[in-house]
Amino acid sequence: MKADRQRRAPLYEALVRHMKRNPGNFHVPGHKQGRVFDEEGLKLFGSVLSIDLTELSPLDDLHDPAGVIAEAQALAAEAFGADETFFLVGGSTAGNLAAILSCCNPGDVLLVQRSSHQSVFHACMLAGVRPVYLGTRVDEKSGLDQGIDPEILAEALERFPEAKAVVVTSPSYHGVVQPIDRFADLCHARGTPLIVDEAHGAHFGFHPSLPPPAIRSGADLAVQSTHKMLPAMTMASMLHLRGKRIRRERLTRWLRILQSSSPSYPLMASLDLARKLAATEGRKRLEDVLSGLAAIRERIGGLRRLSEAVGPLPQDPLKLSLQSETGTSGFRMAEWLESRDCFPEMADHRRVLFTFSLARPGRAEERLLSLLSELDEHLAEMPKSPPLPLPPFQRWRVGEGLTRWMDASGIPVPLEEAVGRLSADMVLPYPPGIPLILPGERWTEEQALFLRQVVEAGGRVRGLSSVSPLCVSVLE
């Protein structure tokens, strides 16, 4: 990687040059670089509106890049270790959709990690694939999903040699990293492409203490939410491609279909700048953040009731998952913290998750530790929740094509009455957005009990009515 080249941000620089020319603006968008906008909103939006432009000749075209966008994407590919990188303005969702649609035709077999994000299953619906779901392991002590056992993947590849691709998620929301290099070896021995939803791993590879990125571990395609762990704007993401197993021309066609024909220049420029910062200052900034996190973890180790959830697989050190030894749910802990203006990334029935980035918390670091010490004391008096074992996914299972359920009509029934019936909807605790049940799957008592306890513990569930009685949609 050429350090001098990485100090440039060609797309951002082109936007600034154009802004300084004070050009005659007779094109969209209608706010005319902020010349007409709500007066109150302009105080915050003004500087961004000045570079919120359209596909003018000096600014290139995302869907046919030949200028500054092409240069910015090439610099990103160099920084992240890809053969080619594509900017995404529709989040990792757009990348996951395009990745699967570019590999599969209707009726094709696709091997899919069952604990994937909902966007992966939406892609299965749109592609009309025949999914084979790969179950994952859960560490009993920490309760963290440990991903797919390589033996299960090997078994599924042996059983379904016609599979068009394998889709896995690494790292998980809680930062658990799967052995992508082993998965790649298994897939490539059969010529099968490996697609990795790496939404939470955009920072990997910029410090030796972090796990290696998927694209450098053998993945054919990796999708990253740059905005989650690097300093880009929300929705700004990247898709990295390596090798020849995935057809580039088909991938670019699907990206044109799925993404807006009027992509946001501020979002794309933020990707350009996030890459520049990570490539030129990432190691130094991460060194500082990791040092601060080591001190935080040392202090947490001295608490009596709070502890970090750690499983046997490598974990991203920028994710801090805390659980209570007293049985208080993560939802209750998050509620307590938010009432004191401390907002964690997410909570579930067991843990509360804190996410760090290239920005060291600074003074907020001491305040966080002070609040955690206070919470540690309050846990003795806070409500307890029964342990909620996540209903397990099967070792591997041939699923029905999800497309057939897209137009299926469902009827609402109380949650307990759904047991034994087929779900009409995708039902998922959110976050993290992993479906507990998919359309066409049969409800079990374990699933119904788990969701009721999640709601009672303070969690949110998409696909489940929030009024009493709790209802879900089942097939007639």
Side-chain angles (χ1 to χ4, degrees), residues 20-316:
K20 287 181 176 178
R21 292 169 67 182
N22 193 24
N25 185 322
F26 302 100
H27 54 76
V28 298
H31 59 70
K32 303 294 181 181
Q33 292 179 276
R35 293 187 181 105
V36 55
F37 204 74
D38 178 83
E39 187 175 347
E40 183 65 27
L42 193 61
K43 297 173 185 176
L44 283 177
F45 280 84
S47 60
V48 174
L49 294 176
S50 66
I51 61 167
D52 184 28
L53 293 159
T54 189
E55 291 89 346
L56 306 176
S57 55
L59 303 181
D60 209 359
D61 179 355
L62 177 64
H63 297 299
D64 187 22
V68 290
I69 293 177
E71 188 179 353
Q73 291 185 148
L75 286 170
E78 181 182 90
F80 289 91
D83 290 343
E84 194 167 4
T85 290
F86 302 88
F87 286 178
L88 304 174
V89 292
S92 284
T93 291
N96 286 338
L97 295 176
I100 291 172
L101 285 160
S102 67
C103 290
C104 300
N105 291 314
D108 284 344
V109 171
L110 181 70
L111 304 185
V112 182
Q113 180 174 329
R114 180 56 183 81
S115 56
S116 293
H117 185 262
Q118 58 183 329
S119 61
V120 170
F121 300 106
H122 290 153
C124 291
M125 288 181 179
L126 293 174
V129 301
R130 188 159 60 96
V132 175
Y133 300 127
L134 307 179
T136 52
R137 305 158 291 176
V138 175
D139 177 53
E140 290 187 11
K141 181 180 178 182
S142 66
L144 295 173
D145 189 326
Q146 299 298 296
I148 300 165
D149 186 329
E151 291 184 4
I152 291 179
L153 177 57
E155 182 182 328
L157 285 165
E158 179 73 25
R159 174 68 176 81
F160 299 96
E162 72 275 26
K164 295 299 182 182
V166 173
V167 182
V168 303
T169 300
S170 181
S172 70
Y173 210 133
H174 287 274
V176 178
V177 180
Q178 299 197 66
I180 298 301
D181 53 349
R182 293 182 65 188
F183 292 171
D185 288 344
L186 289 169
C187 290
H188 296 165
R190 294 184 174 274
T192 307
L194 175 63
I195 297 169
V196 181
D197 179 352
E198 197 177 25
H200 289 264
H203 57 307
F204 287 2
F206 291 103
H207 191 280
S209 295
L210 298 179
I215 206 71
R216 288 180 174 154
S217 299
D220 297 276
L221 186 154
V223 180
Q224 295 177 340
S225 293
T226 318
H227 65 94
K228 291 186 187 299
M229 301 301 293
L230 290 178
M233 294 175 68
T234 297
M235 285 176 63
S237 303
M238 296 187 193
L239 185 154
H240 304 297
L241 186 65
R242 196 168 188 178
K244 304 294 184 183
R245 293 182 185 87
I246 293 176
R247 289 170 49 196
R248 180 196 180 278
E249 65 277 11
R250 183 161 174 164
L251 175 66
T252 55
R253 186 185 307 127
W254 275 112
L255 286 172
R256 286 197 299 272
I257 292 169
L258 293 165
Q259 297 207 94
S260 171
S261 60
S262 301
S264 164
Y265 273 83
L267 289 186
M268 292 189 288
S270 78
L271 287 171
D272 200 16
L273 292 169
R275 180 272 314 156
K276 173 189 171 185
L277 185 69
T280 58
E281 301 180 32
R283 180 164 180 154
K284 177 183 175 183
R285 288 177 178 270
L286 285 164
E287 190 74 42
D288 189 38
V289 172
L290 291 168
S291 173
L293 279 168
I296 288 173
R297 286 185 163 95
E298 184 178 357
R299 293 271 293 275
I300 289 172
L303 299 178
R304 290 186 294 169
R305 299 176 183 90
L306 276 176
S307 64
E308 184 174 5
V310 179
L313 287 184
Q315 286 178 230
D316 177 8

Side-chain angles (χ1 to χ4, degrees), residues 327-448:
T328 300
S329 75
F331 301 123
R332 300 300 180 205
M333 291 190 284
E335 183 180 12
W336 186 92
L337 289 163
E338 289 175 1
S339 71
R340 289 153 178 81
D341 291 330
C342 177
F343 292 86
E345 165 65 20
M346 67 159 280
D348 61 21
H349 57 288
R350 291 186 62 165
R351 297 160 294 265
V352 60
L353 174 66
F354 301 85
T355 298
F356 298 83
S357 72
L358 271 63
R360 185 164 177 172
R363 284 180 295 178
E365 197 173 295
E366 276 304 318
R367 183 166 181 271
L368 172 63
L369 285 169
S370 175
L371 282 172
L372 291 178
S373 295
E374 189 180 345
L375 173 60
D376 192 62
E377 294 297 322
H378 276 272
L379 284 171
E381 307 157 7
M382 291 176 72
K384 312 298 186 291
S385 301
L388 304 179
L390 189 66
F393 296 124
Q394 291 175 244
R395 182 178 175 87
W396 60 263
R397 181 178 69 82
V398 180
E400 293 190 65
L402 294 172
T403 306
R404 64 176 295 194
W405 309 113
M406 290 178 70
D407 295 323
S409 58
I411 55 172
V413 298
L415 183 57
E416 283 71 20
E417 294 181 22
V419 174
R421 303 185 69 171
L422 300 180
S423 179
D425 284 336
M426 195 180 292
V427 181
L428 55 149
Y430 195 90
I434 296 169
L436 181 71
I437 192 165
L438 294 168
E441 290 185 332
R442 197 172 299 279
W443 279 97
T444 67
E445 289 186 12
E446 284 181 301
Q447 291 168 328

